[in-house]
Amino acid sequence: MAGAGGDTPQQGDGPGKAAPKATLLPEEPPQEQALRRSAEELRQEDRLSVCSKLCYAIGGAPNQVATSATAFFLQIYLLDIAHITPFHASLVLFIGKAWGAVTDPVAGFFISKSKWTKIGRLMPWMLGCTPFTIVSYFFMWYLPPFVAGRVVWYLTFYCLFQALTTLFQVPYSALTMFLSPDQKERDSATAYRMTVEVLGTLMGAALHGQIVASAHASDHCTVNLTINAADSSSSLSNASNLAEPLGLQSHGREVYMIAAGVIGGVYLFGIVILFIGVKERDDPYALNSDKAIPFLKGLRLTMKHGPYLKLTASFLLISTAVQLEQSNFVLFCTHAASLHNHFQYLVVTILVSAAVSIPFWQWFLQQFGKKSAACGISWMIPFAVMLVTIPNLVLAYVVAFVSGLSIAASLLLPWSMLPDVVDHFRLLNPHAKGPETIFYSSYVFFTKMSAGIGLGISAASLEFAGYKTGMCRQSSTVILTLKILIGAVPAILIVIGLSILLFYPITEKSRKETEFALELLRRSHPSTDNLSKNEEDTWI
C-alpha cells in the first residue's frame, strides 16, 4: 500500500500539496506570456556583436588621443616652447574651452534638426568634421615664425579645434542611444567605448610624450642656466626676447609638429573603422508617429529634470578636478617634484592603470550599482595629498597607479548613467522624440565650461604666482601654487561632487523598472495625440 501511495501522491496530504503548486504556472494570462516571449525575441534582435562594439569604441578613440595630448602638454607647450606668458596662456585655454562649450548646444540644435540619410542621422556629422579637425589640430601645435601674433594664432586654432571636436563628440556620444534599446547592451557598448578611449588617452599621452620628451629634457636646463641667470629680469618676461637658444626652440617646434602629424593619422584610421563597423538605428525608442521635440522646449524640460541636474552638477565638479590634475601634472613633476625625467612614464602609468581597470569598474557597477562605484573616484585624494607633501619617486608611481583607478571610474560612470537619465526622461515624456542630442550636448557643454574655468583659473594662478616662461627653476610661490592645484583643489571638488551624487535618485531597482515600463509603453501607445499632456515639470 505504501508503494501504491507513492505511485499516487495526489491522494496524500503532504504530496498532495505539490500538485496545485505545479498547476499555477500555466495559469499566466496569455497576454503576459506573449509579451514575455516577444520581449525575449526583441532582446535577441537588440544584441550587439563584439565587432560592432569594438568598431564603435575605436571610432571615439582619436578624439581622446588628441584631447589627452592637449590636456597634458598644451599648457607647457604654450609656456616653454611658444613662450607665451601664463596670463595669455590662461586666456587661450579658457576662451578655447568656453568656445567649445558654447558650440555644444549649437551643435545639438542643428544635429536634432538633421534628416535621416542612407548612412544615418549622426554619421554625416562625424564624417564631415574629421578632415577639418585634423587640419586645426596640426596648426594648433605649429610654431609660427612671428612673435607678436602668436596668442591670436593659438587662440584661433584652439577654438577651431574645440568647436570641431564638439561637432564630432556630440553625435558620437548620442550614438550610444541608437545602437540598441537594451540597457545592458548600451552599458556594455559604453564599457567597450571607455576602455578603448582610455587606451586612446594612453596612446595620446605616450605617443606625444615620447616624441616631445627631448624638448623638455633636463640637459636643456643645464644649457640655459647662465642665460636664465643673466636675462631673468628682462628677456623672460617678454615674448620677443626668448631665453631659450634658437636651436633648442627649433628642435621643440619640430618634435611637436611630428607628434601632431602622427595623431592626425590616428583620426583618419578611427573614422574609417567607425563608418565601416557601426550601423545607426533610426530612433529605436520613439513610436513611428512621434514628432521630434523642439530644441528649446526639450532644453527647458532637460533643465527641469532632477536626475539630470544632479548627475551633471556632480560630474561637472569631478571632471574639473581631473582636468586640473591632467593639465598641471607635467608642470608639477618638472618644477615642484624634480621628476622631469620621469613625467612621461608617470603619465603612462596613470593611463595604463585606468585602461586595465575599466573592466573591473564595469563588473563592479553591475554587481553593486552605479552609485556605489562612485566611491572609487575618491581614492586618488589621499595619495595626491601625500605626493604633494612627500615628493618621492616611488610614491609618485603609487599615486599615478591609484589616480588611474579613480580616473577610470570618473570616465565610465557619467556616460553609463546618462542613458539611464534619458530613459527616465522618456518614461515621463513618452511622445518626445529625439531628446538624446539635447541631453548629451548640454552635458558636454557644462563639463567643458567647468573645465575651461578651471584651466583658466589654474593658468592665471601661475601668472599671479610669478611663473617665468623658459626658466628651469621657478620660485617657491610657483611651487606652492602647483601643489595646491594638484592636491587641495581637486580634493575639495571631488568631495563636493560625490556629496551631490548621494542625492541622485535613479537606483538599480528603479532603472530596471524604467526599462520594463518603456517596453510596455512602446507596445501599448500607437499614437501621439496626447503629446501636449507630457510637457509638465519633471522635477524629482
Side-chain angles (χ1 to χ4, degrees):
M1 296 297 295
D7 293 334
T8 58
Q10 67 272 16
Q11 295 178 2
D13 292 341
K17 294 181 181 179
K21 188 178 296 184
T23 61
L24 288 177
L25 293 177
E27 293 180 1
E28 185 179 13
Q31 184 178 4
E32 293 187 11
Q33 292 180 23
L35 179 61
R36 189 173 69 252
R37 287 196 300 268
S38 179
E40 290 296 330
E41 294 174 359
L42 190 61
R43 287 193 182 94
Q44 292 294 333
E45 296 176 0
D46 294 336
R47 286 184 179 175
L48 298 172
S49 66
V50 173
C51 180
S52 296
K53 296 174 185 177
L54 281 174
C55 290
Y56 170 66
I58 291 172
N63 246 11
Q64 298 305 313
V65 171
T67 301
S68 170
T70 303
F72 280 108
F73 295 100
L74 183 58
Q75 182 167 257
I76 197 170
Y77 169 81
L78 294 175
L79 295 174
D80 290 354
I81 303 297
H83 290 277
I84 293 177
T85 65
F87 174 73
H88 288 133
S90 69
L91 288 180
V92 171
L93 295 174
F94 171 71
I95 295 176
K97 282 287 187 180
W99 180 256
V102 171
T103 310
D104 283 301
V106 176
F109 172 78
F110 286 107
I111 292 171
S112 66
K113 298 292 183 182
S114 301
K115 302 296 183 181
W116 180 263
T117 67
K118 292 182 179 180
I119 60 174
R121 186 165 63 93
L122 304 175
M123 189 67 71
W125 288 91
M126 293 179 278
L127 288 173
C129 70
T130 297
F132 301 99
T133 305
I134 295 172
V135 173
S136 65
Y137 182 80
F138 180 81
F139 282 108
M140 189 176 69
W141 299 100
Y142 174 73
L143 186 66
F146 50 84
V147 175
R150 282 185 184 175
V151 175
V152 177
W153 173 277
Y154 290 114
L155 179 61
T156 299
F157 283 104
Y158 187 52
C159 287
L160 187 59
F161 172 73
Q162 288 291 331
L164 290 168
T165 54
T166 294
L167 289 178
F168 181 94
Q169 192 65 29
V170 169
Y172 176 76
S173 301
L175 186 60
T176 307
M177 302 297 295
F178 296 94
L179 296 176
S180 171
D182 191 304
Q183 289 185 350
K184 289 184 178 180
E185 291 299 310
R186 293 201 310 259
D187 285 346
S188 177
T190 300
Y192 273 81
R193 171 192 162 193
M194 289 297 105
T195 302
V196 175
E197 285 191 355
V198 171
L199 290 174
T201 305
L202 168 62
M203 181 180 177
L207 275 177
H208 199 98
Q210 290 297 326
I211 293 172
V212 307
S214 58
H216 305 284
S218 58
D219 56 344
H220 290 183
C221 289
T222 305
V223 173
N224 286 334
L225 283 178
T226 57
I227 298 175
N228 289 338
D231 261 348
S232 60
S233 61
S234 59
S235 63
L236 293 176
S237 61
N238 192 321
S240 62
N241 298 317
L242 302 181
E244 190 177 59
L246 184 60
L248 298 182
Q249 186 185 48
S250 176
H251 173 72
R253 177 181 62 192
E254 291 174 0
V255 295
Y256 270 95
M257 288 179 61
I258 292 172
V262 171
I263 292 177
V266 175
Y267 261 107
L268 290 176
F269 174 78
I271 193 63
V272 170
I273 295 297
L274 180 67
F275 177 71
I276 294 175
V278 175
K279 181 181 179 181
E280 178 185 348
R281 299 190 182 197
D282 185 13
D283 200 346
Y285 307 95
L287 301 166
N288 292 332
S289 57
D290 285 347
K291 296 181 180 180
I293 185 173
F295 182 81
L296 293 179
K297 182 185 295 183
L299 187 62
R300 176 173 60 85
L301 291 175
T302 299
M303 293 299 101
K304 292 181 179 180
H305 196 59
Y308 176 73
L309 293 180
K310 293 179 177 65
L311 179 69
T312 301
S314 173
F315 282 98
L316 180 149
L317 297 172
I318 293 172
S319 63
T320 302
V322 174
Q323 187 72 47
L324 285 173
E325 290 276 355
Q326 287 182 321
S327 61
N328 291 289
F329 186 75
V330 176
L331 284 172
F332 173 81
C333 291
T334 302
H335 298 298
S338 299
L339 298 172
H340 43 267
N341 290 328
H342 297 272
F343 73 82
Q344 65 267 36
Y345 305 112
L346 291 169
V347 169
V348 169
T349 302
I350 292 174
L351 299 175
V352 168
S353 172
V356 299
S357 62
I358 287 285
F360 164 75
W361 287 119
Q362 177 65 15
W363 169 84
F364 189 95
L365 64 86
Q366 289 179 345
Q367 296 295 320
F368 303 101
K370 299 178 181 180
K371 288 179 66 175
S372 300
C375 65
I377 301 174
S378 63
W379 293 354
M380 65 187 298
I381 296 177
F383 290 95
V385 173
M386 288 174 61
L387 178 62
V388 167
T389 55
I390 312 172
N392 176 271
L393 179 60
V394 176
L395 180 60
Y397 278 99
V398 174
V399 171
F401 176 78
V402 177
S403 296
L405 300 179
S406 297
I407 289 173
S410 69
L411 290 174
L412 177 63
L413 282 175
W415 297 112
S416 180
M417 298 167 82
L418 193 55
D420 301 336
V421 173
V422 177
D423 280 347
H424 187 271
F425 179 85
R426 278 193 171 277
L427 185 61
L428 298 178
N429 302 271
H431 296 280
K433 183 178 181 179
E436 296 83 12
T437 53
I438 300 175
F439 273 96
Y440 280 86
S441 62
S442 57
Y443 176 78
V444 177
F445 165 79
F446 287 120
T447 53
K448 280 189 176 181
M449 182 61 74
S450 65
I453 294 173
L455 289 176
I457 294 175
S458 171
S461 299
L462 294 176
E463 169 76 13
F464 295 141
Y467 184 94
K468 300 297 183 182
T469 59
M471 290 283 285
C472 293
R473 296 178 182 175
Q474 300 292 334
S475 67
S476 59
T477 306
V478 172
I479 294 175
L480 177 61
T481 302
L482 287 171
K483 290 182 177 181
I484 293 174
L485 292 173
I486 284 290
V489 176
I492 294 172
L493 293 175
I494 289 174
V495 169
I496 297 175
L498 292 178
S499 299
I500 296 174
L501 195 62
L502 292 175
F503 300 95
Y504 176 72
I506 298 178
T507 62
E508 289 302 300
K509 180 180 178 182
S510 65
R511 184 180 66 84
K512 293 177 182 178
E513 292 172 350
T514 299
E515 181 183 17
F516 183 72
L518 282 175
E519 184 61 37
L520 292 177
L521 197 62
R522 292 189 196 102
R523 297 178 177 277
S524 60
H525 287 71
S527 67
T528 57
D529 296 333
N530 59 342
L531 175 63
S532 60
K533 297 179 181 179
N534 298 287
E535 299 176 357
E536 66 272 9
D537 190 338
T538 59
W539 181 275
I540 292 183

